[in-house]
Every structure is written in structure tokens, then in C-alpha cells.
């Protein structure tokens, strides 16, 4: 599970994230949404241990990311919007390298079904340059899931996927959540988040505007918006001026 | 239409210049530019500033006192070089003709109502910018003080580069037309090489019949021994006439007077004109290949700007793992394994053992055989020079470490590893590669250096030195690599890793600053090891353990270097831990 208390990230004078607190329990999927520059990616990068927060506490499965980073990182996986792969390693070599880093002794027993599930088992000897974007994404996912993480962060996981890929990604996220993983997804695709997420946190200018279950959030705005969807709630909550009217 | 294209060229050039001048407000570019400019001025004008005999250029292409025979020889050498470049242009390439445009040019110009001929003109005009700049640069570096006016040298270079440029372009069009007519690359190569072989055989027969044979290998003491023979072959007989078109192109550059230059200019200008007509009248569909070539160039540029050294070549080819990586054990070994794969060559243990064995056998037989002993004596100092260079310059060239991986720093940061392990892992591959090269050179030096100058070196002494080298090399490499890796983590913007990485004076200057810094720190790191070496060595000599004095002193020094390397790895680890990937890594 994920516990965040008072997370703040400053770049000199600029406040990227301010006093952010929330929690994600095992089995929950939280959607992190907000306009461009709201601080979503910065938040995720802090949660994944890529950049240090200026202030605040982050706990991953009970391990403090600041003081016990190695134990915390063993429990998490972070999937960026752009597949980040080593150009010179094949699919198989990526898995071997990741297994050694995470000390997954029986990785071949895990890797093979994973590659089968992701439909890239026949690409084992291919380099990233020989794979399509969707396949690269799948390879990143295979590497990330090799050590069976209990906490997963996705930054725009549906970018560049075809309809079938999107369907599979959504299924995969839900399956991991049902298996007990705590998941955070950052995305602009609100209608897709609505299908996958149990919780939502809306950020603007680095500050939390609202968080809770989808039902709680809809309930909060029901008086003004009626039976609104997440998109309408988002525009209302963030006060996005000039949001185009819906074409019915 | 050409007006719009000229506007594009001139404004692009002007904006690029303005951007680079503005960038000098940042200290890192200003310092880099000053150092780079000083270095450039030194390279160009050192012989004027230091006008003693030692700085005077002695090997000029056309000295004022050249005899007509000497001039003909130089002209023939230049023509031969041009011939080989042209020959390669006809033999090596296998792809269809492709004029390389930028991706933006492809996006704007290809769908626009611009004729194929106009695109060719645009490309030729654009290439003239590069040719003019290169001509000036070559004039400054190679041809300033060798008799004859500066303008003659500059125009001479321009004639050579322009002719080459047009010929290679025309050759690419001709290759494409041959392909379209069903003549494959292999058929074309066979035809071209067949003609070359027939001509070469004819020249060889003529040479064998008319020119006295060169001196035997064991009697060669200097290059001048070979010059007479080369002069005869190149400057008389059929080769003079076969190389005539190429000599014509080189001749203006070698002219010593304005009259000679002008007289020599009209044939290459005629050549240029004919080449232009050839290119302009070729109706070859180059667009498709150009789009592909432009995409590759764009990818290459983006990859280089992202800090990758080998963005395209080799990446299409899978590399075998250097060894079998077990899923458990030290994670640092995983980085070694990964980075050795990225080094792209067969860095397997078997490969290196084979190479060392070949080096020893070849070196030993060269040193042992009376016929080739002279060759071995020449080889020894060269090997030693390379060995010394590998320690100082090697870490600048072998960069399979943080310098390559900085764009992947965010991924590395997610790994559940202590920072020192990541640092150690990143340093291991370049250290291993450099060590392997140095061990090979040490093996070669051991067998090819029976004496050093007048001093005889018995085998046991050579083996002692070799052992010392073998023991010291890995630690010395690790210490050397700490410096550029610390620098890249401390000053990421100074290294050529971000997008829009600097070029020109600034980049040259920045590299020079880092190279000097690395040298200084390396010398400082060597002092404690040298002191310990001296103490152990003299102590052993004092107690009369002569035979073991060098190896044991080297082991002691290697231990000191190992401690330094340990501190270095801890330092790099600390810097990596502190390294904020969100910080500005772009200039």
C-alpha cells in the first residue's frame, strides 16, 4: 500500500507539488488527474523514488522511501508514458538484466507466461528498435512485473496503444488490483480512468483539489452538475475556463 | 521558388549564429568558447607565433622550392587519394540515391509544388555552405605558409571538395539508374573492380619491367627509402595518364603563382560544369530514399544529442551476451554484462584470450626472426606509446558508463540498489574493456621490446614490468573513470548528453577543460601509489630481493589505487544518489 504525507517538491522558487497527502490501499486503483503542469508526473516520480521530495513522507508497503529506499523500491514498479528501454539489449536480455537487479531467482518461470500473456513471446531475441511502440510498452510491463510488485505506478499507460492493447491494459490493471496491488494511474483519458479506477485524486498547480472514490466525488458535485461524469467533474473542480461545450 | 529556398538557408544560418552567440551568456559556454577559440588559434597560427625552425612546417604540399618532378609527384599522390575516394563511391554504397534533407525540409518541401530539379539545386546550394567552411578551415590548418597565396589554397580546396561532392552525387544517381535497369549492386561492383584489377595488373607489369625493385624490407630504415620507388611508379609510365582527371582537380591547389593557378583552373571548372550537367539532367527518383535517409539522420542526431554513442550502426544487430548472467548474485555484475553488450564488439573472455595469444605469437616471431627484427624494434615503442595513451585518453573514448546512461538515469533510480553498487556497475565495463586492451598491449610490448633505446631489457625484467602493468592497469582505469563519471553527474549540462548539445568552439573548449581536469586529478591520484611503489621497491632492493622488487612494489601500489578506487566508487555513488534527474540537463 501507499501512504503519502505532506509531499512537497520545490524547484528553486517554483512549487511543483505542495503538501500532498493521500493513501492507496491494496486492491485500490487511484487515478491521478489534473491539467498540464498540475504536478502529476512530478508526484509519480517522487513516489517511485526517482526524484527526492523536498518535504514529506512516502511509505511503500510500510517502508519509508526516504530512509529505507531499497526495501521500498523492491515492492514497486513504475511505468512511464514513453517505454524506457536499453537500445542494445534484446527482449530476453532485458528480462535477464531485470531479474538480476531484483534478484528474481526463478525469473524464467515467471517471464515465459508473462511474455505469452503479453503476446511477445516470439520476440524474445528482438532489440527494442525492432519492436513497435506497443510491443515496447509490453516489454516494459513484463520487466516491471517480473518481481511481482505490490505497488504499481502508471504514467499515461494507454498512450500509443491500439484498441486491443487498451482493452488488454485495462484488464491487466484490474487483474493486478484484484491480486492485491495498490495502483496509481496518471492520465488525461478521463473516460478510460472512469472504467478502471476505484479512486480519483485531482491536482491543480501542485495542490490537491479533491480525492475520494468515484462515487464520493460525483456525490460532492451532484448538486451543481447532477449525474455528471468524471470529465464534467474535472472541468468543474479545476475551474478550467473555456472548456468546450458538449456536442450532443 | 529559389528565392524562398535561399531565404530558408540564409535565415537558418543567421538564427543558428544568433542562438550560439546568445548562449555565450552562460559561463559554461563562454569558458568553453574561449578555451576552444584559443585551441583553434593555436592550431592555425602556432607556426607564426613561434616562428623558430622547430615550428616551421616542413612537409608542405607545395613548398616554394619544389622541382617540377617533386610537384608532379605531389600532384600524383593527391590524385591517387582522390581516385580511391571516387572508387569507394562507386563500389561500397548499396542503397539508392538519396539526397539527405532535414526532417523539416522533407515535411515542408516534398509536398510543396517544388520540382525535383529545384530540390537538387537547393541541396547543392546548401552543400556549398559546408564546402566553403571546410575549404577555409583546411586552408588555415594545412595550407597557410607553404608558398603561394592564401586565396590560391582556399580556392584549390574549394575546387577539390566541390568536384568530389558533385561526382559522388552523380555516382549515386548513376548507381540508381543501373539498379532500375536491372544491374545489381554486385554486378556493378564486379564491373568496376574488374576494370581496376585489369588496370592495376597492367601497371604492375609495367613497373616490374621498367622500375628497379624497392629495397628489401630489412634494409628499409626510413620512409625516404620508399619515396624514390613510389615517385617512379606514380610520376612516370601509365599511372600519370590514368590519374590525369584526378591530377587536374588537384593542380590548382598546388599552384605557386596566380598565373599557374588560373591556367590550371579551367580544366577542373570544365569538369565541374560537366558534373553539374550530369547531376541536373539525371531524372532519378530520389525522394523515397531521401525520406528514409533523412529519418535515419534525424534519429542519429537525436540519439547523439541524448548521449548515445552508437545510435544506429550496430543496433540492428543483436549482440551475444559476453557471459551467462545468473539471476542472483551481485547486481553490479548485471551492469557490467549489460554495458559489455552495449560495447557491441565480441567482448568475450575467449575472444580476448585468443587476441592475446595471437599478439604474443606474432610479436615473438617478429622479434625472434632476424629478417623482421627491425620491424619488431619499430613496433615496440609504438606499442608503448599506445599503452601510455590508453591510460590517459582511453577513459575519454570508452564511455559505456554514466556518460552513456545518463538519459536512462530515471530508470536506474528506480532500481532497489545502493547507489555505490550502481556506480560500481557502471564503471566496471569501461574499466574491463580498457584493461583488456592494455593487457594485450603489455603482452605485445613484452615480446617486442628486447631493448629500450641503448638499454638491453632481459626477459625476466620485461616479465617483471609486464606483471606490474597487469596488476596496476585495472585499478588505474577505475580511478581514471571516476573523474569523468563524477563530472557528468556534477555538471550534466556540460557533458554532451542533453538535447541540442553544443557544437563548435564551445564543445571543443568544454572537452579540453575536462580532459585537462582529468589529467590533473589522475596525476594527483597517482602520487600516493607512486610513493608506496618507491618505498616497497627500494626496501626490497635494500634487502637484496631484486627479482621480486618490481612485482611486489606494483602489488602494493595497486592496493593503494584499489583503496582510491573504492573511495572513488563511493563518491560516484553519492553523486548519483544526489543527482536530481528533474534538474536541468539541457544547456
Amino acid at each position: 500500500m501507499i501512504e503519502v504525507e505532506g509531499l512537497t517538491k520545490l524547484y528553486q522558487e517554483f512549487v511543483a507539488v505542495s503538501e500532498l497527502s493521500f493513501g492507496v490501499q491494496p486492491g485500490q486503483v487511484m487515478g491521478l488527474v489534473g491539467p498540464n503542469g498540475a504536478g502529476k508526473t512530478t508526484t509519480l516520480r517522487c513516489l517511485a523514488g526517482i526524484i527526492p521530495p523536498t518535504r514529506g513522507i512516502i511509505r511503500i508497503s510500510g517502508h519509508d522511501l526516504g530512509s529505507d529506499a531499497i526495501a521500498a523500491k523492491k515492492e514497486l514498479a513504475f511505468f512511464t508514458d514513453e517505454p524506457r528501454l536499453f537500445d542494445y539489449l534484446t527482449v530476453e536480455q532485458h528480462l535477464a538484466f531485470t531479474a538480476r537487479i531484483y534478484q528474481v531467482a526463478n525469473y524464467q518461470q515467471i517471464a515465459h507466461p508473462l511474455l505469452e500473456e503479453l503476446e511477445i513471446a516470439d520476440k524474445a531475441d528482438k532489440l527494442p528498435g525492432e519492436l513497435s511502440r506497443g510491443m515496447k510498452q509490453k516489454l516494459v510491463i513484463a520487466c516491471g512485473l517480473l518481481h511481482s510488485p505490490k505497488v504499481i505506478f502508471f504514467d499515461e499507460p494507454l498512450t500509443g496503444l491500439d484498441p486491443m492493447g487498451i482493452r488488454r491494459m485495462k484488464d491487466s490493471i484490474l487483474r493486478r488490483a484484484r491480486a492485491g496491488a495498490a495502483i496509481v494511474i496518471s492520465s488525461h483519458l478521463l473516460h478510460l480512468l472512469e472504467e478502471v479506477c476505484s479512486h480519483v485524486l485531482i491536482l491543480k498547480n501542485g495542490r490537491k483539489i479533491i480525492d475520494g472514490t468515484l462515487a464520493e466525488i460525483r456525490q460532492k458535485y451532484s448538486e451543481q452538475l447532477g449525474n455528471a461524469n468524471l470529465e464534467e467533474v474535472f472541468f468543474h473542480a479545476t475551474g478550467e475556463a473555456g472548456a468546450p461545450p458538449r456536442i450532443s | 521558388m529559389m528565392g524562398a529556398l535561399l531565404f530558408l538557408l540564409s535565415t537558418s544560418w543567421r538564427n543558428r549564429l544568433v542562438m550560439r552567440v546568445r548562449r555565450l551568456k552562460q559561463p559554461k559556454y563562454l569558458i568553453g568558447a574561449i578555451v576552444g577559440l584559443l585551441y583553434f588559434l593555436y592550431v592555425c597560427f602556432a607556426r607564426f607565433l613561434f616562428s623558430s625552425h622547430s615550428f616551421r612546417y616542413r612537409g608542405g604540399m607545395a613548398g616554394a622550392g619544389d622541382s617540377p618532378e617533386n610537384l608532379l609527384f605531389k600532384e600524383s599522390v593527391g590524385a591517387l587519394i582522390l581516385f580511391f575516394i571516387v572508387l569507394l563511391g562507386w563500389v561500397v554504397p548499396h542503397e539508392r540515391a538519396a539526397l539527405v534533407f532535414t526532417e523539416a525540409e522533407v515535411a515542408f518541401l516534398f509536398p510543396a509544388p517544388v520540382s525535383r530539379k529545384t530540390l537538387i539545386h537547393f541541396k547543392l546550394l546548401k552543400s556549398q555552405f559546408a564546402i566553403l567552411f571546410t575549404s577555409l578551415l583546411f586552408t588555415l590548418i594545412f595550407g597557410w605558409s607553404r608558398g603561394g597565396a592564401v586565396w590560391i589554397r582556399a580556392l584549390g580546396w574549394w575546387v577539390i571538395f566541390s568536384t568530389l561532392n558533385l561526382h559522388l552525387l552523380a555516382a549515386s544517381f548513376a548507381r540508381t539508374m543501373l539498379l532500375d535497369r536491372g544491374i545489381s549492386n554486385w554486378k556493378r561492383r564486379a564491373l568496376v573492380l574488374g576494370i581496376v584489377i585489369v588496370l592495376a595488373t597492367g601497371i604492375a607489369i609495367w613497373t616490374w619491367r621498367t622500375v628497379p625493385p624497392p629495397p628489401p624490407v630489412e634494409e628499409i630504415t626510413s620512409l625516404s627509402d620508399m619515396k624514390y620507388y613510389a615517385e617512379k611508379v606514380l610520376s612516370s609510365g601509365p599511372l600519370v595518364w590514368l590519374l590525369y582527371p584526378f591530377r587536374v582537380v588537384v593542380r590548382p591547389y598546388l599552384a605557386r603563382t596566380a598565373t599557374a593557378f588560373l591556367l590550371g583552373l579551367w580544366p577542373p571548372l570544365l569538369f565541374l560544369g560537366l558534373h553539374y550537367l550530369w547531376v541536373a539532367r539525371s531524372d532519378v527518383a530520389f525522394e523515397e530514399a531521401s525520406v528514409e535517409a533523412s529519418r535515419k539522420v534525424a534519429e542519429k542526431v537525436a540519439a547523439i544529442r541524448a548521449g548515445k554513442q552508437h545510435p544506429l550502426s550496430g543496433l540492428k544487430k543483436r549482440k551475444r551476451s559476453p557471459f551467462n548472467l545468473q539471476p542472483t548474485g551481485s547486481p553490479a555484475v548485471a551492469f557490467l554484462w549489460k554495458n559489455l553488450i552495449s560495447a557491441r564488439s565480441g567482448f568475450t573472455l575467449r575472444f580476448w584470450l585468443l587476441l592475446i595469444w595471437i599478439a604474443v605469437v606474432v610479436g615473438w616471431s617478429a622479434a625472434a626472426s632476424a629478417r623482421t627484427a627491425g620491424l619488431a624494434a619499430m613496433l615496440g615503442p609504438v606499442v608503448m606509446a599506445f599503452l601510455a595513451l590508453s591510460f590517459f585518453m582511453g577513459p575519454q573514448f570508452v564511455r559505456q558508463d554514466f556518460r552513456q546512461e545518463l538519459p536512462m538515469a530515471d530508470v536506474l533510480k528506480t532500481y532497489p540498489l545502493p547507489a555505490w553498487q550502481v556506480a560500481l556497475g557502471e564503471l566496471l565495463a569501461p574499466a574491463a574493456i580498457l584493461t583488456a586492451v592494455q593487457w594485450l598491449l603489455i603482452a605485445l610490448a613484452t615480446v617486442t621490446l628486447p631493448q629500450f633505446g641503448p638499454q638491453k631489457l632481459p626477459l625476466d625484467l620485461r616479465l617483471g614490468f609486464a606483471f606490474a602493468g597487469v596488476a596496476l592497469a585495472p585499478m588505474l582505469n577505475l580511478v581514471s573513470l571516476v573523474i569523468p563519471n563524477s563530472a557528468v553527474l556534477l555538471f550534466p549540462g556540460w557533458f554532451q548528453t542533453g538535447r541540442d548539445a553544443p557544437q563548435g568552439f564551445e564543445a571543443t573548449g568544454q572537452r579540453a577543460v575536462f580532459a585537462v581536469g582529468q589529467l590533473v586529478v589522475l596525476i594527483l591520484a597517482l602520487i600516493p601509489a607512486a610513493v608506496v611503489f618507491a618505498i616497497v621497491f627500494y626496501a626490497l632492493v635494500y634487502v637484496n630481493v631484486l627479482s621480486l622488487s618490481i612485482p611486489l612494489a606494483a602489488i602494493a601500489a595497486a592496493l593503494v589505487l584499489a583503496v582510491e578506487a573504492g573511495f572513488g566508487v563511493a563518491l560516484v555513488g553519492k553523486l548519483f544518489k544526489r543527482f536530481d534527474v528533474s534538474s536541468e540537463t539541457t544547456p
Side-chain angles (χ1 to χ4, degrees):
Chain A
M1 71 182 197
I2 307 159
E3 295 162 279
V4 180
E5 291 170 28
L7 171 65
T8 301
K9 179 69 185 175
L10 307 176
Y11 294 111
Q12 282 95 40
E13 303 297 306
F14 177 72
V15 183
V17 182
S18 176
E19 296 299 328
L20 186 62
S21 300
F22 63 89
V24 185
Q25 298 302 315
Q28 289 182 353
V29 181
M30 194 187 84
L32 189 62
V33 295
N36 288 334
K40 302 185 296 294
T41 299
T42 303
T43 302
L44 283 185
R45 290 179 133 209
C46 287
L47 296 180
I50 295 171
I51 53 175
T54 311
R55 284 193 298 274
I57 294 169
I58 300 164
R59 282 191 209 90
I60 305 289
S61 297
H63 305 287
D64 187 330
L65 194 60
S67 59
D68 194 6
I70 293 168
K73 286 178 179 179
K74 277 184 181 164
E75 304 291 344
L76 68 83
F78 177 43
F79 301 109
T80 51
D81 52 347
E82 269 299 313
R84 314 276 281 121
L85 295 162
F86 297 103
D87 296 338
Y88 42 83
L89 296 187
T90 63
V91 169
E92 204 168 24
Q93 287 169 337
H94 267 95
L95 292 164
F97 175 70
T98 310
R100 177 73 167 234
I101 295 293
Y102 286 89
Q103 303 285 300
V104 187
N106 59 341
Y107 88 95
Q108 271 154 336
Q109 291 165 25
I110 304 168
H112 192 69
L114 252 177
L115 293 179
E116 290 285 352
E117 181 194 327
L118 295 165
E119 296 174 321
I120 50 168
D122 58 331
K123 311 284 181 202
D125 62 344
K126 299 279 184 225
L127 288 168
E130 298 169 290
L131 302 175
S132 67
R133 195 187 181 285
M135 284 178 192
K136 285 181 197 168
Q137 191 94 318
K138 288 175 179 178
L139 172 57
V140 170
I141 289 168
C143 290
L145 298 180
L146 202 61
H147 64 288
S148 310
K150 295 190 176 71
V151 169
I152 305 174
F153 302 113
F154 289 100
D155 192 1
E156 295 289 357
L158 305 174
T159 308
L161 294 183
D162 59 15
M164 184 61 86
I166 290 173
R167 166 77 63 86
R168 289 220 170 91
M169 179 63 88
K170 285 192 292 187
D171 291 348
S172 177
I173 291 168
L174 290 171
R175 206 164 42 245
R176 302 284 154 195
R178 276 197 285 272
I183 297 173
V184 177
I185 305 173
S186 161
S187 180
H188 288 299
L189 304 174
L190 300 178
H191 60 288
L192 290 164
L193 286 184
E194 232 170 349
E195 295 174 34
V196 179
C197 296
S198 56
H199 291 66
V200 171
L201 189 153
I202 301 178
L203 272 179
K204 189 181 179 188
N205 296 332
R207 292 180 182 279
K208 180 168 76 176
I209 292 178
I210 188 169
D211 74 333
T213 64
L214 273 169
E216 284 168 352
I217 288 174
R218 281 203 195 101
Q219 176 66 35
K220 186 168 178 189
Y221 290 97
S222 61
E223 274 186 29
Q224 295 108 311
L225 299 173
N227 189 21
N229 61 17
L230 183 59
E231 189 180 75
E232 283 161 317
V233 169
F234 174 83
F235 285 132
H236 193 82
T238 55
E240 289 284 280
R246 288 189 82 172
I247 298 166
S248 50
Chain B
M1 186 54 70
M2 273 313 283
L5 298 177
L6 274 172
F7 171 79
L8 175 66
L9 281 178
S10 59
T11 44
S12 302
W13 189 81
R14 194 190 63 211
N15 291 346
R16 197 175 301 133
L17 191 70
V18 169
M19 188 194 75
R20 284 173 69 170
V21 170
R22 275 191 194 147
R23 214 161 50 178
L24 294 179
K25 284 179 191 164
Q26 296 178 53
K28 64 183 180 187
Y29 291 113
L30 186 63
I31 295 169
I34 291 169
V35 175
L37 196 64
L38 287 175
Y39 172 74
F40 184 72
L41 289 174
Y42 172 76
V43 168
C44 295
F45 301 108
R47 38 184 183 271
F48 292 107
L49 295 172
F50 311 98
S51 56
S52 68
H53 282 292
S54 59
F55 275 91
R56 268 192 205 290
Y57 191 83
R58 290 166 185 170
M61 280 294 286
D66 275 336
S67 64
E69 294 78 29
N70 210 13
L71 211 58
L72 181 64
F73 174 64
K74 288 177 176 178
E75 195 179 279
S76 301
V77 171
L80 198 65
I81 294 169
L82 269 188
F83 166 75
F84 277 112
I85 296 172
V86 167
L87 180 66
L88 288 176
W90 281 92
V91 173
V92 175
H94 55 84
E95 66 276 14
R96 296 175 65 84
L99 297 179
V100 180
F101 295 86
T102 65
E103 287 212 308
E105 284 164 358
V106 168
F108 277 90
L109 301 182
F110 280 34
V114 179
S115 70
R116 193 174 277 167
K117 198 176 263 185
T118 310
L119 283 176
I120 292 174
H121 281 122
F122 172 69
K123 190 65 200 165
L124 291 179
L125 203 61
K126 201 176 168 186
S127 63
Q128 277 302 314
F129 277 84
I131 288 172
L132 285 170
F133 180 75
T134 314
S135 302
L136 280 174
L137 199 70
F138 272 53
T139 307
L140 284 171
I141 295 172
F142 297 113
W144 187 272
S145 63
R146 298 177 190 159
V150 175
W151 65 269
I152 290 181
R153 300 281 162 262
L155 282 175
W157 279 120
W158 177 82
V159 167
I160 293 170
F161 289 134
S162 296
T163 312
L164 252 186
N165 179 48
L166 271 175
H167 184 85
L168 293 177
L169 185 58
S172 76
F173 286 168
R175 284 196 318 267
T176 305
M177 281 196 275
L178 290 174
L179 282 172
D180 290 342
R181 287 179 170 82
I183 297 170
S184 70
N185 282 322
W186 286 111
K187 276 185 193 163
R188 184 195 77 233
R189 285 168 183 156
L191 183 73
V192 173
L193 288 175
I195 295 169
V196 171
I197 288 168
V198 167
L199 292 174
T201 312
I203 292 163
I205 291 169
W206 174 86
T207 306
W208 179 64
R209 284 190 174 167
T210 53
V211 181
V217 179
E218 57 268 30
E219 285 173 25
I220 296 172
T221 53
S222 71
L223 285 178
S224 59
D225 288 345
M226 291 295 293
K227 194 186 167 194
Y228 168 78
Y229 183 71
E231 219 164 29
K232 279 282 170 200
V233 177
L234 282 171
S235 312
S236 56
L239 209 53
V240 177
W241 297 106
L242 284 171
L243 290 176
Y244 184 76
F246 302 94
R247 282 174 36 218
V248 156
V249 176
V250 178
R251 193 169 291 160
Y253 173 77
L254 293 169
R256 281 170 291 174
T257 61
T259 317
F261 173 79
L262 291 173
L263 281 174
L265 190 61
W266 69 266
L269 284 184
L270 186 68
F271 245 59
L272 265 176
L274 289 172
H275 271 96
Y276 167 75
L277 287 177
W278 183 5
V279 168
R281 284 171 182 252
S282 299
D283 190 23
V284 173
F286 57 81
E287 290 88 344
E288 197 179 331
S290 289
V291 170
E292 180 62 14
S294 307
R295 186 188 61 78
K296 282 182 184 169
V297 169
E299 276 179 11
K300 197 171 179 174
V301 169
I304 289 169
R305 285 177 175 174
K308 294 169 192 169
Q309 279 184 301
H310 42 79
L312 284 177
S313 54
L315 289 185
K316 285 176 187 159
K317 233 176 150 185
R318 288 173 288 282
K319 295 293 164 191
R320 268 175 42 198
S321 304
F323 53 87
N324 191 22
L325 184 70
Q326 294 301 317
T328 51
S330 169
V333 177
F335 286 90
L336 169 69
W337 177 84
K338 172 178 75 66
N339 291 345
L340 284 180
I341 292 174
S342 93
R344 295 188 302 148
S345 303
F347 285 106
T348 59
L349 186 64
R350 197 172 52 180
F351 170 79
W352 283 101
L353 287 177
L354 184 73
L355 220 58
I356 290 175
W357 183 77
I358 291 171
V360 169
V361 168
V362 170
W364 212 293
S365 36
S369 158
R371 269 180 68 83
T372 51
L375 206 65
M378 284 201 297
L379 191 66
V382 172
V383 170
M384 287 303 288
F386 272 110
L387 187 60
L389 262 180
S390 74
F391 282 109
F392 290 110
M393 301 300 293
Q396 296 287 342
F397 291 103
V398 186
R399 299 161 72 102
Q400 281 78 22
D401 48 31
F402 277 121
R403 288 168 289 176
Q404 173 190 268
E405 298 291 41
L406 205 64
M408 293 290 278
D410 53 345
V411 177
L412 304 185
K413 283 255 179 186
T414 61
Y415 293 154
L417 303 175
W420 70 265
Q421 278 214 22
V422 180
L424 176 64
E426 288 291 353
L427 298 187
L428 279 178
I433 293 166
L434 285 171
T435 303
V437 171
Q438 286 151 0
W439 283 359
L440 183 71
L441 291 171
I442 288 168
L444 252 179
T446 309
V447 292
T448 55
L449 269 179
Q451 65 179 58
F452 194 76
Q455 184 72 43
K456 289 264 181 208
L457 295 175
L459 184 63
D460 58 343
L461 191 63
R462 277 184 279 154
L463 286 175
F465 278 124
F467 181 84
V470 166
L472 289 168
M475 295 307 144
L476 204 53
N477 288 327
L478 268 178
V479 171
S480 305
L481 286 160
V482 164
I483 299 150
N485 279 279
S486 302
V488 76
L489 292 168
L490 270 173
F491 311 107
W494 278 61
F495 267 78
Q496 318 301 303
T497 52
R499 287 174 198 284
D500 300 323
Q503 296 167 333
F505 290 132
E506 307 96 295
T508 310
Q510 286 179 0
R511 283 189 207 108
V513 169
F514 275 110
V516 171
Q518 177 168 343
L519 193 63
V520 170
V521 180
L522 184 62
I523 290 167
L524 289 176
L526 275 173
I527 291 171
V531 169
V532 169
F533 183 94
I535 291 169
V536 175
F537 177 77
Y538 284 112
L540 290 168
V541 170
Y542 185 73
V543 295
N544 224 8
V545 191
L546 288 172
S547 56
L548 291 175
S549 56
I550 293 173
L552 289 178
I555 290 172
L559 286 174
V560 173
L561 285 172
V563 172
E564 287 181 2
F567 280 117
V569 167
L571 170 75
V572 176
K574 211 170 199 173
L575 292 172
F576 177 64
K577 196 175 177 181
R578 270 180 37 195
F579 180 70
D580 188 349
V581 295
S582 60
S583 66
E584 185 67 37
T585 55
T586 54

